[in-house]
Amino acid sequence: MASIKDVAARAGISVATVSRVLNNHPAVRPATRDRVLAAITELGYRPNGVARSLRTHQTHTLGLVISDVLNPFFTALARAVEDQARDQGYSVIIGNADEQPELQDHHVRSLLDRRIDGLLVSPTDDSSPLLAEVARSGVPVVFLDRWIPGVDVPVIRAAGSSAVHDLVAHLYGLGHRRIAIIAGPSNTTTGNERVIAFREALDSHGLAAPDRYQQHGDYQAASGRRAAARFLDLHDPPTAVFAADNLMALGAMDEIRHRGLRVPDDIALAAFDDIPWFLHTDPPLTAIAQPTGALGHAGVRALIDLLDGRATDSVTLPARLVPRRSCGESEMEHR
Amino acid sequence: MASIKDVAARAGISVATVSRVLNNHPAVRPATRDRVLAAITELGYRPNGVARSLRTHQTHTLGLVISDVLNPFFTALARAVEDQARDQGYSVIIGNADEQPELQDHHVRSLLDRRIDGLLVSPTDDSSPLLAEVARSGVPVVFLDRWIPGVDVPVIRAAGSSAVHDLVAHLYGLGHRRIAIIAGPSNTTTGNERVIAFREALDSHGLAAPDRYQQHGDYQAASGRRAAARFLDLHDPPTAVFAADNLMALGAMDEIRHRGLRVPDDIALAAFDDIPWFLHTDPPLTAIAQPTGALGHAGVRALIDLLDGRATDSVTLPARLVPRRSCGESEMEHR
DNA sequence: ATCTCCCATGTAATCGTTACCATGAAGCGC
DNA sequence: GCGCTTCATGGTAACGATTACATGGGAGAT
């Protein structure tokens, strides 16, 4: 593969000048620039990004570590991150942590070894010594969706609390009084937040929140299924279930159907995270929609601000309730 | 950030020896190795992958260019590729072409500039001068799922044809005689193959395949919707529709429901690509399942074989029919 | 005791760029 | 016409690693 030296030789000029042309430095005579450009096309030369990175200490690459690529929420998030990064001239390397802290650490280390310019992370849990150290050591880091308390980096996330209140109000309005939650892992920030908002909302309607109406899952379908099974085995099963993410909602739906019960007639179901498929499930699922694209875009912007040394704040965007048929019929049905 | 020189200084030794320890070269006295290791942990040293790559001409990174990350089939494929690559000590940079040839070229170029060791591509269409040239120039390339005729690189894909025959037989068995297809773009190999298999299957049952029962989409939901609308507007609409990918099936379902019709009572629906959500749609969708994980794994193995200079063949894996309720009731219902 | 040979280690070239400094020519004011 | 600035360009050190080759010391063979 041709190098800058070959181009220089071909154009009868020094490598320094070729480099100037490449980086469109102003001090190059137009005639020379043309000669260089000609040599470049003749040789099919493309600058070696590796060498460039070594010299400039920049890779124009961002690392994105997420918990589960197969979760449509994270897929959409990754897509948004990639789009925005490309717009700004950056590539993205995605690391899929699969909700495993060790795998997350593996990816963080591997990305740092590749000298990515900055890191976007949605941490698997709320304490990662490695991430804390990385952030402290000055590597530009931004948390996306989830974060780690005590680690001082910008956090880009959606505030679900008011939408959760709306959801509970919606359920209450449809007559539900025994409402259960399939929560996320209690060692994730999103896991906790959603539970807290949920309990507050119950409280504000004077509803009880007994322990047996709260199960913890791991954001995977199978755990949603197990949690639903526990609820349905109770002597006074809940009339409505709120799943803290889309995959657990799917699992719960699975279990409910498996028992020959119907949503919403026998039991209502709602989920955190809206995804296109929810329109097409049987019945369409009521969900809390996060502004996924905006989150990804804001995350990249924040990280690039950090890279460029600009001041960067955390961003919290609103989530909103999207009522469909899975909690019972209401007058305000949306498509 | 500490470099190999710092480690050498700290251990009172030359950089060559540190490098030997790093690459566990045998000719290092255990005592020296320990001193080096100690210095490494004290300094928190991590080798600079960029410098290493420049020197060794290897990045231990693979490029994966796919047509649409948001399509669950490709998401799962990407996931499988990443898993297998990690097992083999490689990272993956994913480029999302969004079914746009120019974006695909952008990613290919950007990946090559980063000097990835090899490229996995699922081409957006069946002719890409850039990819042809890249392959000819000796860069290790493997095609995944789709390929480009005339470009001589290994192709890893699923053979859908026998499963398509099974599907048509299934539909025929349920009494369907007017069967339509929402095909993929005719300039993709998968688009064509599925149509050909479909028409052959119709033919073998003595069924006609009039032009009005064939529409082309672009593998996106909206196009499935439009195609379904055309079929439903006919004076003799088909009784069954086969969509050549999952997103177009989704769009078709959307349109059918929008018109107040029911699947399968008013019209049957089946899709190419099985995805977890199809279990939960209303009704559960009959689909042709590709061995997605195996495809991804085989793709990576083939590419690494190529990198290591081993002989590499194309691989074709079988797809299979997964009958559910969307084509009408049958005795053999699967969960 | 001397000669080999091998083992552990050091020296330095190299990968492909960028960027600093030097250099010579040209332009300009006086 | 002289000195000074500016411009276009060249030479070359560095970025951080790997690796071929050189080197010196010790062990084993004779």
Side-chain angles (χ1 to χ4, degrees), chain B residues 160-183:
Chain B
S161 137
S162 95
V164 170
H165 276 81
D166 292 348
L167 171 64
V168 171
H170 173 68
L171 288 167
Y172 190 91
L174 292 167
H176 293 284
R177 295 296 179 270
R178 299 204 306 276
I179 311 178
I181 183 170
I182 306 178

Side-chain angles (χ1 to χ4, degrees), chain B residues 306-328:
Chain B
L306 225 50
L307 295 182
D308 296 348
R310 281 188 292 269
T312 311
D313 281 332
S314 292
V315 176
T316 305
L317 301 170
R320 67 174 216 289
L321 178 67
V322 181
R324 297 202 185 87
R325 290 210 320 274
S326 68
C327 298

Side-chain angles (χ1 to χ4, degrees), chain A residues 4 19 23 45 48 51-52 55:
Chain A
I4 199 172
S19 173
N23 298 280
Y45 166 77
N48 183 322
R52 201 172 248 190
R55 186 56 234 246

Side-chain angles (χ1 to χ4, degrees), chain B:
Chain B
M1 190 156 271
S3 86
I4 199 171
K5 275 189 201 148
D6 303 316
V7 175
R10 177 113 185 180
I13 222 167
S14 80
V15 293
T17 303
V18 176
S19 173
R20 287 194 190 94
V21 172
L22 255 27
N23 297 282
N24 42 51
H25 186 101
V28 177
R29 207 150 40 102
T32 326
R33 147 166 285 119
D34 291 347
R35 280 224 313 288
V36 172
L37 258 24
I40 286 179
T41 39
E42 283 161 26
L43 293 171
Y45 167 76
R46 304 236 79 209
N48 184 323
V50 175
R52 203 172 246 192
S53 294
L54 178 60
R55 185 57 234 248
T56 60
H57 302 280
Q58 287 193 26
T59 50
H60 280 274
T61 303
L62 307 180
L64 170 64
V65 181
I66 51 180
S67 323
D68 179 9
V69 248
L70 292 186
N71 183 318
F73 168 70
F74 285 113
T75 309
L77 192 61
R79 159 74 190 260
V81 165
E82 213 258 320
D83 282 353
Q84 178 72 14
R86 178 157 25 79
D87 279 358
Q88 312 252 359
Y90 284 82
S91 295
V92 177
I93 306 188
I94 302 175
N96 178 33
D98 217 8
E99 303 285 1
Q100 301 166 37
E102 320 78 53
L103 201 46
Q104 167 180 281
D105 283 3
H106 164 91
H107 280 120
V108 169
R109 254 189 282 265
S110 147
L111 289 165
L112 292 178
D113 287 354
R114 292 194 144 68
R115 298 299 191 267
I116 44 124
D117 294 341
L119 206 50
L120 283 156
V121 190
S122 177
T124 53
D125 61 30
D126 59 7
S127 85
S128 163
L130 177 62
L131 275 174
E133 190 200 311
V134 166
R136 197 159 4 92
S137 77
V139 176
V141 177
V142 166
F143 285 142
L144 209 49
D145 181 51
R146 309 182 189 168
W147 78 98
I148 299 182
V151 177
D152 184 30
V153 306
V155 179
I156 314 298
R157 64 194 188 95
S161 137
S162 95
V164 170
H165 276 81
D166 292 348
L167 171 64
V168 171
H170 173 68
L171 288 167
Y172 190 91
L174 292 167
H176 293 284
R177 295 296 179 270
R178 299 204 306 276
I179 311 178
I181 183 170
I182 306 178
S186 52
N187 60 353
T188 62
T189 48
T190 50
N192 283 324
E193 274 188 338
R194 292 168 196 175
V195 170
I196 291 170
F198 175 73
R199 299 185 81 111
E200 274 175 12
L202 287 189
D203 195 54
S204 74
H205 285 89
L207 297 179
D211 283 352
R212 65 184 186 289
Y213 285 177
Q214 174 170 342
Q215 292 286 335
H216 283 271
D218 59 4
Y219 286 143
Q220 299 291 322
S223 69
R225 187 161 185 164
R226 279 193 302 273
R230 295 248 173 70
F231 292 146
L232 295 172
D233 285 342
L234 294 172
H235 67 276
D236 58 343
T239 64
V241 172
F242 168 43
D245 94 328
N246 62 68
L247 292 181
M248 294 193 299
L250 198 67
M253 217 169 155
D254 216 1
E255 179 65 21
I256 293 166
R257 177 162 318 165
H258 188 59
R259 297 190 176 211
L261 300 175
R262 297 205 35 100
V263 175
D265 314 85
D266 298 309
I267 188 162
L269 186 60
F272 208 100
D273 290 348
D274 191 25
I275 56 173
W277 301 97
F278 280 172
L279 259 174
H280 300 275
T281 50
D282 173 26
L285 270 181
T286 293
I288 291 175
Q290 300 195 59
T292 322
L295 279 176
H297 295 167
V300 172
R301 277 199 306 273
L303 187 52
I304 291 180
D305 280 353
L306 225 50
L307 295 182
D308 296 348
R310 281 188 292 269
T312 311
D313 281 332
S314 292
V315 176
T316 305
L317 301 170
R320 67 174 216 289
L321 178 67
V322 181
R324 297 202 185 87
R325 290 210 320 274
S326 68
C327 298
E329 290 301 335
S330 78
E331 71 293 350
M332 48 171 314
E333 185 167 333
H334 294 225
R335 257 211 112 227

